[in-house]
Amino acid sequence: MARQFVIQREEHQAVPSGSVDFSGELNPRQLEAATWGAGPVLVVAGAGTGKTRTLVYRVAWLIDTGVLPEHIVLLTFTRRAATQMLTRASGLLDGRCSRVRGGTFHAFCLTILKKYASKIGYPSNFTVLDAADSADVIDILRARYTSKADGKRFPKKRTLQQMVSSMRNRGLALADVLESTWPQFVEFEERLGKMFDEYASYKQAQGLMDYDDLLVLTLKLFQSQPQVLREVASMCRHVLVDEYQDTNRAQALLVRALSSVHGNVMVVGDDAQSIYRFRGADLGNILSFRDEFAAAAEIKLEHNYRSTQSILDLANEVLTSAHRRLDKQLFTERSKGDRPALVPAPDDRFESRFVSQMILQFREQGVPLNQMAVLFRNGQSSYDLEVELNRRNVPFVKYGGLKLSEAAHIKDILAHLKVLENPRDAVAWNRVLQLLEGIGPKTSGRIIEWISKAGDTPFQIDNGAFSAAYVDSLMRLFQVLRGIHGSTMTPADQIETLSEYYAPIMRNVYSEDYPKREPDLDHLTGIAARFSDRAAMLDSLALDPIELSAINVEELENDEPPLVLSTIHSAKGLEFKVVFLIQALDGVLPSAYSVGSTEALDEELRLLYVAVTRAEDHLFITYPMIQFRRYEGQYFAKPSRFLVDVPESILEPCTLVESGSPAPDVLEERSKESSSMIESSESGSAAGEMLPPLDGLPF
DNA sequence: ACAAGCAGTTTTTTT
DNA sequence: AACTGCTTGT
């Protein structure tokens, strides 16, 4: 008989030794969640109910009761969210939580895979592909699977990439995915199936992993190597998951796996804020958590501390038409506040002028810029406003939309680093080689084949083997690569060296707009200075691309904290005193892509809900009445279908008039530069009140 | 055979 | 601003 050891049960009931006053800082429900003992628990936390606060105190409680920080895993949706929470927890605990493991599912899986890569047939220096890289890989294969006869009907690389992705993170068969989302491509099923199989083996052969691989291969590792699972899961004494409503099937399985030894898992989420269905998020995960984790308890947080009653009224109204939801009713003890305003503007320019003018007014009333946000459905919706804000010297940061590391010229530089890191990475080689004059897809393919045969000395070149048209530039490339390969340069120095080599190429390739791109190379060098390890830098940039305009913020460090512009998706979890939701148009929110399906429309509705619930004190929803489209010219736009039926008692309809013009004529007055004002339409435009009434607000 | 240049189309949201 | 397909040039 084997000897039996008994481990002392953790003492959860003990009064925490530290100085944190848990019951004073949290309401009874929050306290119950933060001090939860053992076993699975679902925390349903409505918008603004102190979800982050609860998680922060949860971490503090665990550590205070003696759990080692490195035995806590805090999985969040973005890295920003993780750092924010750990910083706050660290404030409560005098820094005692620095060793809590946390981050996104993808980043957490990456650390596991780096350690155990060889067990699933991968080298440990594998490269992480972002969505665009992965589409490039697929495109290489696509050429082999298409013929002239297919014409335009065969799916584009981006679509193909989305197909693979949705198969894998939902765990569905190709046939199902095609039938539900791309019925027009059902005829290609057999070819697509083969192509996707080849995609998988191609990645393995080259040491490449896409985002979905990080999750799926971790699961596969756990399945095929039970001792690895046991090893990893025993280090996860407490698993905390934020934004559980936005996890996909693979992530739910990971949560189950990670908690399989200790069984202590707390998931926090709000079904009404699930907005990542397009990425495979499965609302079913949160709705059926209590079935999947036997005996799971449920705690509901319904006391909203963020918004005024008027804003919550609109939020609740919006939600009444949603289909699937958990029962929950938000309430607040805050005062009624102003009704949210619906402001139609004659056109984009007026909308931008109105928003910037209001922002300046609020600032004069003492609201700091960084307590205000402008939200929109699409990244490009804010271009006009950005111009206007620049003109008025209003500093802003933009979240969502284009990322620095997704810009073509940055990807070029990064491709050189990837080649140095993993010389088997053919996608990176393709990019690097095709920058050279005289080298296109075919030649680049041939050179890559030659390189792969060269074996251990990847950056040596035999100049006799190549055509005179491009040997010289090829030699120069290899010389630069060898120079870096054989040195001990820091990542920043490597980028500096590469930039010097790349600058003339950039002038050639992007001859029209290279001056705009040039400063970005310096930015990149600056970012690289934070890293001492090239591989870590590449992984980090792949998993957490840098927001393009976030760079400008660092330069302004000592100036006024900037206004926030953000896509609704990127604003998840944030709150602001004043919120403007712009471009609230039918076809934008809801997106034109979603009108075909109830499920998709529901998600757009929740998106509106998320936008509305970001606001604490004031909410303005605006849209232009006239839009421009490239081939259709000007046409009359409709406001979002979610807003037209909202009673006026909840959403106040307003009109915008140009000062000095009694009857504003939309088309003729557009170019005037005088300041506009807003009036409430129901009180009659002649005696219209100035909005907003800025006096006596609870700032 | 292959690269480069041109013209026309198309753009959701993100790890 | 990027992607695709077509045409021209080497």
Side-chain angles (χ1 to χ4, degrees), chain A residues 44-235:
Chain A
V44 179
T49 55
K51 177 185 62 128
T52 305
R53 186 183 186 78
T54 305
L55 273 173
V56 166
Y57 278 82
R58 170 72 176 162
V59 170
W61 165 271
L62 289 174
I63 293 172
D64 228 21
T65 48
V67 180
L68 293 177
E70 53 268 43
H71 286 166
I72 301 172
V73 178
L74 174 62
L75 294 168
T76 56
F77 203 69
T78 60
R79 192 177 297 191
R80 206 160 90 211
T83 4
Q84 219 177 51
M85 281 191 216
L86 291 183
T87 311
R88 281 175 61 178
S90 169
L92 292 175
L93 293 166
D94 316 314
R96 273 186 288 147
C97 64
S98 62
R99 308 197 52 184
V100 170
R101 293 189 294 157
T104 61
F105 276 91
H106 291 87
F108 186 72
C109 287
L110 179 63
T111 59
I112 296 172
L113 288 171
K114 283 269 150 168
K115 193 166 167 194
Y116 300 103
S118 63
K119 304 224 177 212
I120 49 164
Y122 262 85
S124 62
N125 70 339
F126 62 82
T127 308
V128 179
L129 303 172
D130 67 18
D133 294 332
S134 138
D136 284 342
V137 176
I138 292 173
D139 207 37
I140 295 172
L141 304 174
R142 184 179 184 270
R144 297 184 211 160
Y145 282 85
T146 45
S147 68
K148 282 253 161 57
D150 295 321
K152 292 185 170 180
R153 293 173 309 147
F154 200 80
K156 303 272 180 287
K157 65 175 181 182
R158 203 61 221 213
T159 314
L160 293 167
Q161 190 258 322
Q162 284 169 20
M163 285 179 188
V164 190
S165 186
S166 67
M167 280 166 67
R168 308 196 63 219
N169 55 34
R170 287 176 221 213
L172 293 177
L174 174 60
D176 300 329
V177 171
L178 286 179
E179 204 179 314
S180 63
T181 320
W182 292 280
Q184 72 274 33
F185 296 132
V186 167
E187 57 175 313
F188 299 121
E189 185 188 333
E190 204 186 312
R191 248 193 288 174
L192 290 172
K194 275 193 195 146
M195 194 176 134
F196 294 158
D197 288 344
E198 200 179 331
Y199 173 60
S201 45
Y202 185 93
K203 280 182 299 180
Q204 179 158 8
Q206 317 259 353
L208 307 172
M209 283 193 201
D210 62 22
Y211 287 146
D212 304 318
D213 287 326
L214 294 175
L215 307 179
V216 174
L217 292 179
T218 304
L219 280 174
K220 196 176 141 195
L221 169 73
F222 287 162
Q223 269 156 20
S224 62
Q225 314 276 329
Q227 78 286 2
V228 172
L229 172 58
R230 228 170 300 125
E231 201 177 314
V232 173
S234 14
M235 293 296 286

Side-chain angles (χ1 to χ4, degrees), chain A residues 419-430:
Chain A
V419 154
L420 285 160
E421 195 57 42
N422 173 11
R424 284 202 284 165
D425 183 345
V427 207
W429 271 119
N430 252 323

